Amino acid sequence: MEETAKKRMLSGIQPSGDLHLGNYLGAIKNWADRVNDYECYYFMADLHTITVRQEPAELRRRSLNQLAQYIACGLDPEKNVLFLQSQVPAHTQLAWVLNCYTMFGELSRMTQFKDKSAKYSNNINAGLFTYPVLMAADILLYQPDYVPVGEDQKQHVELCRDIAQRFNSIYGDVFTVPEPLIAKTGARIYGLTTPEGKMSKSVPDGCVFLMDSPDDIRRKFKRAVTDSDTENCVRYDKAAKPGVANLMNIYATITGKSIPEIEAEFAGQGYGVFKPAVGEAVVEALCPIREEAEHLMADKAYLDGVYRAGAEKAAYVANKTLRKVYKKVGFYQGL
Ligand code: ATP
Ligand code: LTN
């Protein structure tokens, strides 16, 4: 791969559910815009996904379909390295080494481990415990400058930094110590029926999936919760009218209009006009994405080729780091 002066960025996504409007507006759309300024690596973290029991056929289906959906959202595989974690063996190879440089106490303090072991108390497996070590390996193999993640993953990136610094302090500068990049301004989209909580696949009712049909989308917006008062006026007031504020944010993010412009546009008109208008804007934005994703999903050979090419590019960078690590720790690598 050609050497560039661009800063490098890497992030992983678990193929654990269908993508929705929150994922698109809050994350994927911004990633697609970033490609000119950074060298970007994005991978599907399928190895991480099996820390919670998965249906094998579903996991396989999602690993391919999500790639199609990401590409349809504008993540160009010619400009970003897109790959599947399990297709680059260096991830598990480095994870073993890093396991020996990570402390039991550090892993015990991870809030995600505590949360997930409470939630899946009948399956507290070792993978769930060492999850952050594999994540550190995912990151450090590529020597990225930045790791864009949600707030919930910050603790894992900080542990990754600690592991990198510990390793570097013993063996010299092997790893770039990455910075977490936590989106502060990224759109936060709330559930259409539960505007007090974020839009999430676990509340499918108020969740608009990227692959929903136009009619499903229109229906979900018609049923969106507005407010309990009888004001029936499109006015931005997040505390008093969270449902309306959420719809206004969605409309603003998609159309590029400002909140005052939206208030003016719907002045004197009630929610009966506003909700279908937001629904229509979302239909318009998602329709081409869904059509492109369906088109790509039908072409499994193409998607397979993207994964193959991505794995090859990724492995080239990853193996370079792995060889260095193996040498440093004293593994005999032949004459
Ligand atoms: P769950 O449904 O289990 O809560 P999720 O659908 O929120 O999961 P994640 O895998 O946690 O999906 O998130 C993937 C990316 O999408 C993250 O970068 C996250 O910040 C972003 N994201 C998820 N939900 C929203 C949302 N409602 N608004 C904005 N961004 C979101
Ligand atoms: N744990 C992350 C997914 C993930 C990741 C990574 C993110 C796995 N490996 C490396 C950034 C860098 C999650 O659940 N969102």
Side-chain angles (χ1 to χ4, degrees), residues 28-289:
I28 310 167
K29 198 165 170 279
N30 307 325
W31 299 350
D33 295 342
R34 212 180 254 156
V35 71
N36 296 322
D37 303 319
Y38 298 94
E39 186 187 328
C40 298
Y41 291 74
Y42 298 110
F43 64 94
M44 303 292 169
D46 57 343
L47 297 173
H48 278 105
T49 306
I50 64 160
T51 54
V52 172
R53 209 59 89 221
Q54 300 291 323
E55 217 281 289
E58 265 296 290
L59 178 58
R60 232 181 331 264
R61 180 190 70 81
R62 277 198 306 260
S63 299
L64 215 56
N65 286 359
Q66 276 195 17
L67 174 66
Q69 292 172 29
Y70 279 103
I71 297 173
C73 285
L75 270 196
D76 183 347
E78 300 293 324
K79 296 184 182 158
N80 300 272
V81 182
L82 306 179
F83 65 100
L84 187 61
Q85 190 186 25
S86 64
Q87 292 185 342
V88 182
H91 290 244
T92 39
Q93 292 171 303
L94 181 63
W96 172 255
V97 176
L98 298 183
N99 262 314
C100 303
Y101 295 81
T102 308
M103 300 302 135
F104 184 87
E106 287 176 314
L107 293 175
S108 312
R109 284 194 287 276
M110 293 292 118
T111 53
Q112 180 177 292
F113 172 68
K114 291 186 213 166
D115 293 348
K116 286 208 174 165
S117 44
K119 190 166 169 196
Y120 304 100
S121 55
N122 59 349
N123 184 22
I124 307 178
N125 59 74
L128 201 58
F129 189 64
T130 59
Y131 179 114
V133 183
L134 177 59
M135 180 159 159
D138 296 337
I139 298 170
L140 298 177
L141 278 173
Y142 299 90
Q143 314 277 2
D145 302 281
Y146 301 109
V147 182
V149 283
E151 184 65 40
D152 62 319
Q153 296 297 317
K154 191 169 171 222
Q155 197 186 26
H156 287 162
V157 181
E158 271 157 9
L159 177 63
C160 167
R161 287 168 57 85
D162 292 343
I163 297 171
Q165 275 157 350
R166 180 173 303 141
F167 198 91
N168 285 351
S169 73
I170 306 171
Y171 301 106
D173 277 341
V174 176
F175 296 125
T176 302
V177 181
E179 299 277 344
L181 207 66
I182 315 285
K184 280 183 263 332
T185 50
R188 187 141 185 93
I189 308 300
Y190 296 87
L192 298 187
T193 49
T194 49
E196 59 291 337
K198 69 166 194 166
M199 183 176 283
S200 152
K201 58 187 172 264
S202 30
V203 191
D205 204 25
C207 181
V208 176
F209 292 98
L210 293 189
M211 301 310 286
D212 276 349
S213 70
D215 282 346
D216 281 341
I217 298 174
R218 291 188 186 105
R219 191 174 37 79
K220 286 179 182 176
F221 276 92
K222 277 199 191 113
R223 287 201 201 140
V225 170
T226 41
D227 54 40
S228 46
D229 66 34
T230 49
E231 192 186 30
N232 197 18
C233 160
V234 180
R235 184 170 56 80
Y236 194 88
D237 183 344
K238 196 161 185 284
K241 294 148 71 95
V244 177
N246 184 40
L247 292 173
M248 292 178 84
N249 269 334
I250 293 173
Y251 194 67
T253 315
I254 284 183
T255 60
K257 292 177 186 169
S258 69
I259 296 294
E261 278 169 347
I262 297 170
E263 285 176 343
E265 183 178 344
F266 294 97
Q269 304 182 65
Y271 303 142
V273 173
F274 176 57
K275 290 202 286 185
V278 182
E280 218 43 54
V282 172
V283 165
E284 251 175 64
L286 294 190
C287 233
I289 293 178

